[in-house]
Amino acid sequence: MPGVVTVSDLRTGYGGDDIINGVSFDVHPGEILTIVGPNGSGKSTLIKSLAGIVPARQGTISLFGENVTALKTPQRIAKGLAYVPQEFNVFRNMTIAENLKLSTEFLGLRSHDGNQERTRVLEMFPDIADRQDLLAGNLSGGQRQMLAFACALISSPEVLLLDEPSAGLSPKLVIEIFEKVKAVNELGTTIVMVEQNVAASLPFSDRAIVLVNGAIRHESSAAELSARGDLHELFLKEA
Amino acid sequence: MGQLLINGLGTGLIVALPSIALSLSFGILKFPNFAIGAMLTTAAYIAWSLNIHAGLPLLAAGALCIILFPMVALLCDAAVFRPLRSRGPVTLLVASMGLSFVLDNVCRLIFGNDARNFDIALSRPYRVWGLRINYELLVSAGVSIGAMILVFLILKHTSIGRAMRAVADNPNLAAARGIDAKRVIAATWILAGVLIAASGVLIGMDRAIDPQLGWNYIIVCFAAAILGGLGNPAGAVFGALLLGVVGELATLVVATNYRSGVGFLVIALVLLSRPNGLFGTREIVK
Amino acid sequence: MLSVQSLTKKFGGVAALAGCSLEIPEGQITAIIGPNGAGKSTLLNCIAGAVTPDGGHVRYLGTDVTGAKPYILARNRLVRTFQISRELSSLSLLENVLLARQNASDESFFDPILFPARVRRQQDADIDKAMKLLVRVGLEGLADATPNILSGGQKKLLELARALMLEPRMVLLDEPAAGVAPPMVQVLIGIIKELHQEGVTFVLVEHNMDMVSALSDQVCVMAEGKDLMSGSFEQVASDARVVEAYLGGVL
Amino acid sequence: MTKNKDVSSGITRRRILRTGAAAALTVVAAPYIRPSWAASAPIKIGMVIPFTGSTGAYGPEMEKAAKLAVKMINDNGGLLGGRMIELFIEDSESNPTAGAAATKKLLEVNDVNSIIGYWGSPIAMASKQLLIDAKKVMMVSCAANAVTEQEHGGLIWRFQAKSTQWGPVGAKILKQRGHKKISVLAQQNPFIVSMIDPFIAEVKKGGGTIVDNVSYLPEQPSYRAEVEKVFGAKPDAVFIPGLLTDFTSIMKEVYRGGYMSKVCSLSIAADANGRFLKNVGAEVAEGIDHYQPAPPLSSPNYKKFIKAMGEPEDTVFLFAGNAYDQVWTAALAIEKAGTDVSSEWTKKVIEISNPPGALVGDGLEALKMIRKGEAVAYVGAGADCDFDTMGDQLNRHFLHRVIKNGQNEFVQTLS
Amino acid sequence: MIAYLTTIMTLVSIAVLIAFALNVQWGMCGMVNFGLAGFVALGAYTTALISLNGGGFFVSVFAAIIVCAVMGAIVSLISMRLSEDYLAVVTLGFGEIIRLVTLNEGWLTGGALGLPGIPRPMIDVIGTDHYEVFFLGICVVIVGIVFAGLEIATRGPFGRSLRAVRDDDLVASSLGKNVLLLRVKAFAVGGGITGIAGSLQAFQFSYIDPSQFTAIMTAYAFMAVIAGGQGSHRGLILGACSVMFLLEATRFLKDVVDVLDNSQIAAIRLILIGAGLILLLIFRPQGLLREYRLKAPKSSPSSADSTAT
């Protein structure tokens, strides 16, 4: 089955070393793919590379069968991708409404009137819907995360990339966030997320990839991974 | 006292426009544009030659200048700042010093050293409750306030304005959201250009136009922008008004010659209590 | 050797530290683990003086050093590294390391002019020592280069060498393995072990459990700005609360 | 120059050294050795005036006038039996340091025998030591007393009234107008600052009172505060010595402020060859008294000068006339002395300027007379051009005019 | 020509000193100083006032150094107390206030009239004929001494510490460097050097007035440092020479070009200077020379800090 996103032999990094050392995988339509792994394993770099923020040094990234390796973020967004960065993912000096508007204006907007999209998205996030004039900087961590989701969803993306959506959130909020992710997924959006919180994220995922030191250590369904007794080994043992 | 207040507001309103421009370019382009003075001079000369040589009435000349000058600003950006964009604020600051030499002297080369004046008749003031309010003050207040409202409407309610604020707020996220930095930079220069042009015309009306014109405003504009918190256009307006009013009121206590010193004293006091300016969240370059 | 008592710190209303207490015994390696946002880095920053805590105390060698400037701690031979390595980008590797040397004339403009011989002698000795450290971390060939050509792992090694130049009694390591390739992690572990044997005390904030299990005498778990528990690696790894808060229920 | 005659004796190392040293010495000494062909060489005169910076507006007219004089002399056969005058002009940038560098360049590179111009006292002050050291003549158009105060060996000539002479004239004008309560609003520059005390003294002598004495810096965004402070106290009249740009701004402000006090200023600000009126229009300028050292307005030569400058007949030049006179005075003194060695011809300046010689306004005429051995007293386009031994001009008269209906109207000549 | 070059070299020496000061403060320690001209003025007026009241050369220069160094320390300390990033404003304000004081406090500074007749050192002994050369000698020797001092001091631990503070003050602090003290010292050292520059300026013209110390002086110093290569004292000498060369060489422009009048030439000169600076920034970003870096010993361990003059 051809993937929504296909990554083959991807190598990338920032400085001298490659952080991602030849990673290949497919993202299947409609699934939640969770990439887990210890800190420094390259999860964040990988998802940034998918989003087009860190350019690939080698290998290809395809979106719906089309090679998008050379495309920049805005062009990938126009093709149906959306990306929610980790933390600092809302414009803090702007209100909720403005954050949303910005997204309708600069993302791959399909209809001319952003209002419709905004209304649709806000229905999913009642928490922030009724305080649209609040500065995003004054929101709590969970609400900010919701807003960032909302912004990304406004373009009705087919693939949503999430970089550690649960980072810095209290356990209760973590669950709420993942429930939201699941809800979004159920509306038909394919989701690729990077997570450190294995325990909380796997139950909401369809499939999982374990990334260690920039290479895929393990790939299976989420349930299978959860069930494995040697998860600890899998994570912590060096190559 | 009331008269001083009016005078101070008059000065402040004129200075407010270039201060907003400075603040905008600092917030979005991330460098303090020292050439703001020379740009004022250039804009004033453009309006002047439209007024005198092309024979347009001042209103038309000013309006045309407001359309033309942003192009000059874009040209300056393309020639000077674009190649240096990645090189840190101080390099850009020094480049803007170089630009200001070039602009000032291009004006001198073309227009000569003589002071020039617009072709307008001056008028005596209206008197309201014993206070003197003159026509130009009303015009410049009107234009300044109008321009400010326009700027804030643009920033607040247009997509490009929001994009500008987004870039100022969090450039990385803006890039991740697909906001085109080039367009935002161009928009910033255009907006700054409009403000500078408007203010150049007002300053030309207020005093005479000569090649040194802009130098007189650099320190004041920087002071106002810093006072308001660099990168915060609304703060810059407040900073300009505060400096204008304090400068005038200070003459009640100290000799007029020390007026500009008083401005710095105010800044020092403000920074002591609010290290990032009155409304600022941003830090200035070292 | 170092004790932290009910430290608190808020950033814009959010409590990064909410009464964290900790004892670091001399000569041991203490690992601090915990989920993102648990306050580990803030704790480290508070200990090292980069951040002034809102409340609580830090005592080092029996003295209260709460809110002391970093350089005071460094002069008392407590040194730290950074999570995202912060090398001095325009100084050569050698100079980066030399900088950590504590001499009387470090901050004197006139000493090199008035006492050139003494300063020269001192500097030569320092260069010797610095070169030895660079050899030790395998960077001696790049001594004249600037750090921008280094890989992430090499930067960590440079930071370590720099920390050692200070002849520290105590080193705070902030995620030394983050972004470092596995073979390099082993090198790091090796060096830290050797130093430990030489009597240096370490505090290690780390997510790499390999490193934690290989090095730590004691593991302290943090969650939500507080110390959750501490004990040996095995004890901690089997504690239900830790599993819940950090490793996740599946472990 | 040592020539090695004895080629056959072989070249020893010592000789090479000696020759080398001599050659080196020649190179070093070259600027100081006057070659024999100097008789037909041009007579070089330097000029330092501002073209850029805050006083850049005043340079061009001086340049034009000086070039005019030089052209007249050269077209009529030059000086000293056919030597042409060559004029070298440098920009002072309105900045003393740059002015001094320009001076040095003229002295050393262009090897001028004198430097004229010098608008702006700080520039003259910073440059004068260079000229004194080089024993070259300096002719200035600036007013600060200090320029000629210290001993300068008769090398400095001032073609301008001293600041202290300017001050009292203003006071006299205001007294004649019947103003008692007087305020001062003065720019802070050396020329103006030193005229304030004499002005105040004269006002008090005449029974007037000083309400306010405010000085202002020329580089500032607005003069509202100063105007408010001075005019707000409603004095009878305000004395505003300034320069064109700031005076323009101030008068706009005064008019817009609706103030009624009378204004007296200097012609360099309130006339400036008609530029002020052009700047502000007749209504704002109405009733402003202004004065400046008087050129010999009625003399036919002055009229010729104005015509040659291409200006309207009623133009009253100040600095252009100074520059013109500087060239002529130098030329006449050089002709009189029969040499272009500065230390020599500077001694003749008084002889060709002051009576008892015949008063001659036409420079070419004066040149002819000097060649015939007759005594002349040159009367310039900027002034009578009589000097005292310190190099300051004697009996400067001041021309007092008032602006009425957009025209400068002659009031009187004062001294 | 030679005597002209003498004067130009003297002016270059003064410009080099000012640029040295900026290089220590900004080039090495990363703290901008937009009030340089104010510091130079302070030094010049101190020297002038003391030597006009009978103080000798050494006394007046020394006093200028001390006054400027102390003022530098105070200015930097104030700004650090405010918020360390507001140095730009504080120095700008400092420069402005010095200008206002020199203009308005006539009883002390002569106001706009300035202070004439500053006695030039040893003029009686040397005589006026060769004084220019002698004074250039003094300037060169002073520049040499300052250069040597700076090279020695900044190639050693002190310079390293300053550069560390510039690169990353938290790291420097974490490695045991008292950042505040280093910054204050850098400002004081720079201040002292501007004091010397001011002294030389006063003696060179034997007359000072406020218009000599304008913002353009500060701008030239920035140009020299940028052109020369931030942090490199040698590069900066080259940089100052290039800026001065541009300034003076363009004077000869009109001896060649005859079409334009003087005011146009004057404008073109300044345009060239501005454009030259911009081009330099674009095409020679690192400056003419790179800042000094300690070299690792190859065989002999102490080839490290040779002290060139």
Side-chain angles (χ1 to χ4, degrees):
Chain A
M1 181 169 60
V4 185
V5 180
T6 308
V7 176
S8 66
D9 193 28
L10 182 71
R11 279 176 194 278
T12 189
Y14 303 96
D17 285 356
D18 284 348
I19 294 174
I20 300 297
N21 307 305
V23 166
S24 306
F25 62 91
D26 277 339
V27 182
H28 306 155
E31 72 172 349
I32 298 182
L33 174 65
T34 302
I35 302 170
V36 295
N39 250 44
S41 62
K43 304 186 298 286
S44 222
T45 313
L46 177 60
I47 204 149
K48 279 185 187 152
S49 186
L50 293 183
I53 289 163
V54 181
R57 288 179 179 170
Q58 192 192 313
T60 56
I61 299 168
S62 307
L63 195 58
F64 310 118
E66 186 187 347
N67 187 342
V68 296
T69 320
L71 297 187
K72 296 233 167 75
T73 316
Q75 295 152 312
R76 294 192 197 186
I77 291 172
K79 296 201 180 297
L81 203 74
Y83 164 66
V84 181
Q86 184 182 354
E87 293 179 279
F88 304 103
N89 49 14
V90 296
F91 297 107
R92 287 163 181 248
N93 292 326
M94 303 172 89
T95 63
I96 293 175
E98 285 172 333
N99 264 284
L100 289 167
K101 269 191 194 151
L102 251 171
S103 312
T104 58
E105 281 152 1
F106 288 92
L107 296 178
L109 181 67
R110 310 231 161 123
S111 106
H112 258 299
D113 181 19
N115 279 332
Q116 203 187 324
E117 268 83 5
R118 281 197 291 279
T119 324
R120 174 179 58 76
V121 166
L122 281 174
E123 275 170 12
M124 297 167 65
F125 301 96
D127 232 20
I128 52 173
D130 49 349
R131 10 180 149 180
Q132 289 198 47
D133 291 331
L134 212 62
L135 278 186
N138 294 339
L139 295 176
S140 72
Q143 289 167 329
R144 271 207 292 266
Q145 198 68 35
M146 297 290 180
L147 176 59
F149 273 20
C151 289
L153 289 173
I154 256 184
S155 65
S156 311
E158 301 188 27
V159 182
L160 182 62
L161 308 175
L162 303 174
D163 192 355
E164 297 216 21
S166 75
L169 300 182
S170 68
K172 182 167 162 280
L173 274 171
V174 169
I175 300 302
E176 277 179 35
I177 284 287
F178 286 129
E179 277 167 356
K180 211 46 124 184
V181 172
K182 191 78 187 165
V184 170
N185 174 251
E186 275 160 8
L187 291 172
T189 310
T190 309
I191 288 174
V192 182
M193 69 177 172
V194 148
E195 255 308 328
Q196 207 175 1
N197 194 334
V198 185
S201 63
L202 284 187
F204 294 93
S205 310
D206 298 318
R207 241 159 30 91
I209 287 176
V210 180
L211 196 71
V212 178
N213 295 320
I216 293 179
R217 166 86 47 94
H218 174 91
E219 187 175 350
S220 70
S221 77
E224 191 185 321
L225 182 65
S226 299
R228 275 180 74 140
D230 62 343
L231 193 58
H232 183 255
E233 292 290 300
L234 199 59
F235 263 72
L236 304 176
K237 196 135 192 193
E238 288 297 337
Chain B
M1 179 81 184
Q3 189 63 47
L4 292 179
L5 211 61
I6 290 176
N7 292 349
L9 288 174
T11 312
L13 281 171
I14 292 181
V15 173
L17 295 187
S19 305
I20 297 174
L22 190 66
S23 210
L24 271 181
S25 31
F26 186 85
I28 296 161
L29 309 169
K30 313 285 179 208
F31 81 97
N33 181 14
F34 190 79
I36 195 116
M39 287 180 157
L40 278 173
T41 314
T42 314
Y45 271 114
I46 291 177
W48 179 81
S49 52
L50 289 170
N51 181 219
I52 302 297
H53 291 314
L56 297 175
L58 184 58
L59 193 65
L64 199 53
C65 172
I66 287 174
I67 297 169
L68 288 178
F69 185 74
M71 295 183 208
V72 177
L74 285 175
L75 205 69
C76 292
D77 179 58
V80 179
F81 299 117
R82 187 180 302 157
L84 296 170
R85 194 94 71 211
S86 59
R87 295 265 295 286
V90 175
T91 306
L92 285 164
L93 170 67
V94 176
S96 70
M97 284 181 183
L99 177 65
S100 111
F101 270 66
V102 173
L103 286 179
D104 268 347
N105 287 287
V106 167
C107 290
R108 194 189 300 279
L109 188 66
I110 301 173
F111 301 102
N113 279 309
D114 283 347
R116 311 286 186 174
N117 284 267
F118 291 122
D119 182 19
I120 41 157
L122 296 178
S123 58
R124 288 291 191 179
Y126 309 113
R127 290 182 187 271
V128 183
W129 302 310
L131 298 177
R132 297 179 312 277
I133 297 170
N134 64 55
Y135 176 67
E136 271 107 336
L137 183 79
L138 291 178
V139 169
S140 59
V143 172
S144 296
I145 293 170
M148 282 174 218
I149 291 174
L150 190 72
V151 167
F152 292 115
L153 285 180
I154 288 176
L155 285 179
K156 198 88 182 158
H157 295 292
T158 67
S159 64
I160 192 69
R162 272 189 293 274
M164 288 165 75
R165 283 167 58 213
V167 170
D169 189 328
N170 187 342
N172 291 331
L173 181 61
R177 286 283 180 80
I179 294 172
D180 183 1
K182 282 195 190 117
R183 263 182 69 197
V184 169
I185 288 169
T188 309
W189 279 113
I190 291 173
L191 202 54
V194 167
L195 291 169
I196 291 170
S199 153
V201 177
L202 295 180
I203 288 170
M205 275 169 60
D206 194 37
R207 37 182 296 155
I209 305 165
D210 64 299
Q212 300 276 309
L213 177 79
W215 279 93
N216 309 330
Y217 289 85
I218 294 177
I219 290 187
V220 194
C221 288
F222 267 84
I226 289 168
L227 193 58
L230 264 170
N232 181 332
V237 174
F238 189 79
L241 294 179
L242 184 66
L243 280 182
V245 170
V246 169
E248 300 289 321
L249 292 183
T251 57
L252 293 172
V253 204
V254 296
T256 47
N257 335 32
Y258 278 107
R259 222 162 20 134
S260 53
V262 172
F264 281 105
L265 198 69
V266 172
I267 295 179
L269 290 177
V270 168
L271 294 183
L272 252 164
S273 58
R274 298 194 57 96
N276 286 320
L278 285 170
F279 311 102
T281 48
R282 214 162 285 285
E283 295 178 325
I284 187 183
V285 268
K286 264 190 249 178
Chain C
M1 183 172 190
L2 183 97
S3 85
V4 174
Q5 288 142 16
S6 46
L7 222 48
T8 58
K9 177 75 192 174
K10 280 188 179 179
F11 289 110
V14 181
L17 287 180
C20 180
S21 301
L22 203 63
E23 285 292 333
I24 314 283
E26 184 154 11
Q28 294 202 353
I29 300 182
T30 306
I32 301 176
I33 62 171
N36 276 12
K40 305 186 296 292
S41 281
T42 309
L43 174 66
L44 208 73
N45 279 331
C46 283
I47 296 174
V51 168
T52 309
D54 296 336
H57 292 278
V58 180
R59 295 174 76 83
Y60 172 63
L61 296 174
T63 329
D64 191 334
V65 293
T66 321
K69 287 269 192 300
Y71 76 91
I72 307 249
L73 294 165
R75 287 176 187 180
N76 288 298
R77 295 167 60 194
L78 183 153
V79 68
R80 57 100 45 108
T81 67
F82 295 88
Q83 183 178 353
I84 299 157
S85 15
R86 294 172 76 153
E87 61 291 332
L88 300 160
S89 52
S90 67
L91 271 61
S92 72
L93 263 57
L94 173 62
E95 288 178 312
N96 259 281
V97 176
L98 272 182
L99 194 73
R101 188 69 184 160
Q102 305 300 308
N103 283 323
S105 58
D106 274 355
E107 289 167 3
S108 166
F109 177 76
F110 290 108
D111 275 10
I113 298 170
L114 300 178
F115 317 106
R118 195 192 77 200
V119 172
R120 170 85 58 91
R121 227 179 309 120
Q122 210 163 47
Q123 175 157 313
D124 288 347
D126 292 348
I127 291 176
D128 267 359
K129 188 173 159 60
M131 285 309 291
K132 279 186 192 130
L133 282 169
L134 283 172
V135 171
R136 189 164 183 181
V137 297
L139 290 174
E140 74 280 11
L142 297 170
D144 288 342
T146 44
N148 52 354
I149 65 156
L150 298 185
S151 72
Q154 285 172 320
K155 285 180 182 169
K156 296 281 183 187
L157 287 174
L158 175 62
E159 276 205 323
L160 198 59
R162 206 167 58 184
L164 296 184
M165 189 69 185
L166 206 130
E167 295 180 345
R169 295 178 66 160
M170 181 166 192
V171 183
L172 310 176
L173 298 169
D174 197 352
E175 301 201 21
V180 179
M184 203 63 105
V185 172
Q186 296 308 323
V187 176
L188 277 173
I189 290 177
I191 293 175
I192 295 170
K193 264 189 180 148
E194 276 175 43
L195 292 168
H196 177 225
Q197 270 147 30
E198 286 165 25
V200 182
T201 308
F202 282 93
V203 174
L204 173 69
V205 170
E206 188 51 72
H207 282 289
N208 186 320
M209 287 304 131
D210 229 24
M211 191 175 225
V212 172
S213 64
L215 287 174
S216 53
D217 301 311
Q218 182 197 228
V219 177
C220 171
V221 185
M222 280 183 73
E224 289 165 33
K226 288 199 211 67
D227 49 311
L228 194 63
M229 71 160 298
S230 54
S232 70
F233 182 73
E234 287 71 23
Q235 281 175 321
V236 167
S238 56
D239 187 280
R241 286 172 300 168
V242 177
V243 170
E244 170 65 26
Y246 180 47
L247 297 170
V250 290
L251 281 187
Chain D
M1 183 74 107
T2 51
K3 278 261 160 105
N4 198 347
K5 286 176 203 162
D6 191 2
V7 181
S8 62
S9 69
I11 298 165
T12 65
R13 170 189 279 203
R14 178 170 296 181
R15 173 161 290 134
I16 293 174
L17 280 176
R18 206 184 295 149
T19 319
L25 198 70
T26 319
V27 171
V28 174
Y32 306 103
I33 296 170
R34 190 161 299 282
S36 56
W37 42 265
S40 60
I43 294 167
K44 297 171 171 179
I45 295 179
M47 188 169 194
V48 174
I49 37 179
F51 292 104
T52 55
S54 52
T55 63
Y58 295 95
E61 65 174 58
M62 296 180 76
E63 176 188 17
K64 197 171 171 191
K67 282 186 168 166
L68 184 70
V70 169
K71 188 168 180 318
M72 284 171 76
I73 294 166
N74 287 348
D75 287 352
N76 288 280
L79 301 175
L80 302 177
R83 293 175 61 190
M84 298 289 134
I85 295 181
E86 203 179 334
L87 187 64
F88 296 88
I89 302 179
E90 289 295 338
D91 180 12
S92 73
E93 299 171 32
S94 313
N95 173 333
T97 315
T103 300
K104 201 64 190 175
K105 186 248 175 189
L106 289 171
L107 286 176
E108 304 300 336
V109 180
N110 302 112
D111 191 28
V112 299
N113 74 66
S114 56
I115 304 183
I116 61 173
Y118 291 111
W119 197 105
S121 309
I123 293 142
M125 289 298 290
S127 306
K128 86 178 201 188
Q129 195 61 44
L130 299 173
L131 284 135
I132 293 172
D133 287 353
K135 299 196 173 57
K136 306 286 178 176
V137 175
M138 179 186 209
M139 292 180 166
V140 303
S141 312
C142 58
N145 289 22
V147 176
T148 52
E149 262 165 10
Q150 283 157 317
E151 182 52 46
H152 50 71
L155 288 165
I156 301 181
W157 302 99
R158 187 204 302 276
F159 284 70
Q160 181 64 274
K162 283 201 276 194
S163 294
T164 43
Q165 295 172 309
W166 289 65
V169 177
K172 283 177 195 159
I173 291 173
L174 291 172
K175 191 181 173 204
Q176 284 178 0
R177 295 274 187 206
H179 302 312
K180 289 281 176 203
K181 282 163 33 194
I182 309 243
S183 284
V184 180
L185 180 56
Q187 196 197 108
Q188 277 181 313
N189 78 40
F191 157 53
I192 288 166
V193 164
S194 43
M195 72 175 70
I196 299 307
D197 285 345
F199 171 84
I200 291 176
E202 187 71 25
V203 168
K204 289 189 175 146
K205 213 171 83 187
T209 49
I210 298 294
V211 183
D212 242 327
N213 178 6
V214 170
S215 56
Y216 64 88
L217 294 167
E219 292 107 20
Q220 53 183 31
S222 98
Y223 300 98
R224 260 185 278 278
E226 283 84 357
V227 169
E228 181 76 39
K229 187 159 166 56
V230 170
F231 284 80
K234 297 193 176 135
D236 296 342
V238 183
F239 179 52
I240 312 181
L243 298 180
L244 176 61
T245 311
D246 40 281
F247 185 67
T248 303
S249 303
I250 288 174
M251 283 317 296
K252 280 183 170 182
E253 205 54 66
V254 170
Y255 182 81
R256 284 188 300 220
Y259 298 107
M260 292 311 186
S261 305
K262 292 293 173 196
V263 169
C264 175
S265 181
L266 312 176
S267 303
I268 52 172
D271 177 20
N273 307 343
R275 281 177 290 185
F276 174 70
L277 263 167
K278 220 167 80 194
N279 279 351
V280 299
E283 210 180 325
V284 177
E286 184 64 23
I288 297 177
D289 284 298
H290 59 90
Y291 67 95
Q292 71 170 45
L297 287 171
S298 49
S299 91
N301 289 302
Y302 179 75
K303 296 208 162 89
K304 252 164 81 186
F305 169 65
I306 299 281
K307 213 173 149 198
M309 288 290 285
E311 296 288 335
E313 242 174 78
D314 57 345
T315 307
V316 181
F317 268 126
L318 181 57
F319 303 112
N322 296 153
Y324 187 77
D325 292 349
Q326 288 170 350
V327 174
W328 275 112
T329 306
L332 295 175
I334 287 170
E335 194 68 26
K336 182 85 183 175
T339 169
D340 66 343
V341 175
S342 306
S343 49
E344 293 301 316
W345 67 256
T346 193
K347 290 177 196 150
K348 302 288 182 189
V349 168
I350 290 185
E351 218 177 307
I352 56 100
S353 311
N354 295 14
L359 294 177
V360 186
D362 183 339
L364 290 172
E365 179 69 30
L367 264 181
K368 275 182 210 151
M369 291 169 68
I370 287 172
R371 282 174 195 145
K372 280 186 224 155
E374 294 171 31
V376 296
Y378 173 69
V379 179
D384 296 347
C385 284
D386 296 340
F387 295 94
D388 67 14
T389 49
M390 283 311 288
D392 288 321
Q393 283 192 330
L394 293 167
N395 15 304
R396 292 292 319 223
H397 307 296
F398 285 83
L399 170 70
H400 170 202
R401 287 174 295 165
V402 65
I403 302 176
K404 281 265 163 69
N405 304 318
Q407 298 286 325
N408 280 306
E409 244 174 50
F410 174 82
V411 179
Q412 59 183 328
T413 309
L414 280 164
S415 49
Chain E
M1 187 74 192
I2 287 188
Y4 166 59
L5 287 180
T6 310
T7 304
I8 298 307
M9 288 305 295
T10 310
L11 297 181
V12 169
S13 308
I14 296 170
V16 164
L17 285 173
I18 300 171
F20 273 155
L22 184 64
N23 199 32
V24 173
Q25 297 172 338
W26 178 57
M28 305 201 68
C29 200
M31 300 184 295
V32 287
N33 183 353
F34 287 136
L36 269 178
F39 281 99
V40 179
L42 189 64
Y45 276 94
T46 308
T47 299
L49 288 173
I50 290 178
S51 52
L52 281 172
N53 290 304
F57 176 76
F58 290 103
V59 178
S60 55
V61 174
F62 190 69
I65 296 176
I66 296 299
V67 168
C68 290
V70 169
M71 199 49 96
I74 292 173
V75 165
S76 60
L77 210 55
I78 291 173
S79 69
M80 307 291 166
R81 285 279 169 254
L82 275 177
S83 158
E84 58 189 44
D85 288 333
Y86 276 91
L87 198 57
V89 197
V90 175
T91 51
L92 206 61
F94 173 79
E96 181 69 10
I97 283 164
I98 292 285
R99 192 175 78 98
L100 291 177
V101 170
T102 53
L103 267 170
N104 293 323
E105 302 308 316
W107 57 275
L108 182 68
T109 63
L113 294 174
L115 294 170
I118 299 160
R120 302 204 278 178
M122 297 182 65
I123 183 93
D124 312 335
V125 187
I126 310 297
T128 55
D129 289 348
H130 300 291
Y131 194 78
E132 286 273 328
V133 178
F134 168 75
F135 191 71
L136 174 62
I138 296 183
C139 291
V140 169
V141 168
I142 288 179
V143 169
I145 292 172
V146 172
F147 175 69
L150 284 179
E151 284 282 286
I152 296 171
T154 58
R155 287 185 170 206
F158 181 69
R160 210 154 43 230
S161 305
L162 289 189
R163 288 157 58 212
V165 170
R166 174 192 67 193
D167 280 3
D168 190 329
D169 56 349
L170 179 57
V171 173
S173 182
S174 300
L175 295 176
K177 304 293 174 259
N178 186 342
V179 172
L180 179 66
L181 186 69
L182 280 166
R183 283 187 168 145
V184 170
K185 276 187 177 176
F187 237 78
V189 169
I193 298 172
T194 52
I196 303 175
S199 297
L200 294 181
Q201 169 108 356
F203 289 128
Q204 160 73 4
F205 296 117
S206 75
Y207 163 71
I208 51 171
D209 81 305
S211 67
Q212 293 176 22
F213 310 97
T214 52
I216 205 147
M217 185 179 250
T218 311
Y220 287 154
F222 271 91
M223 291 182 193
V225 174
I226 287 264
Q230 209 183 336
S232 163
H233 300 303
R234 284 162 202 240
L236 169 162
I237 295 177
L238 275 180
C241 289
S242 324
V243 170
M244 212 44 154
F245 175 80
L246 258 175
L247 274 172
E248 287 302 317
T250 43
R251 276 192 194 285
F252 294 83
L253 199 67
K254 69 174 173 313
D255 297 357
V256 190
V257 190
D258 213 22
V259 210
L260 301 162
D261 69 24
N262 269 292
S263 42
Q264 286 171 319
I265 294 271
I268 288 176
R269 266 187 68 202
L270 296 182
I271 292 175
L272 285 179
I273 291 165
L277 180 69
I278 294 170
L279 292 176
L280 205 63
L281 285 173
I282 294 178
F283 295 109
R284 188 91 198 153
Q286 70 281 35
L288 296 167
L289 292 183
R290 211 188 59 185
E291 95 178 341
Y292 167 83
R293 279 195 206 115
L294 187 62
K295 285 267 177 290
K298 291 290 168 259
S299 47
S300 64
S302 72
S303 64
D305 64 353
S306 57
T307 51
T309 306

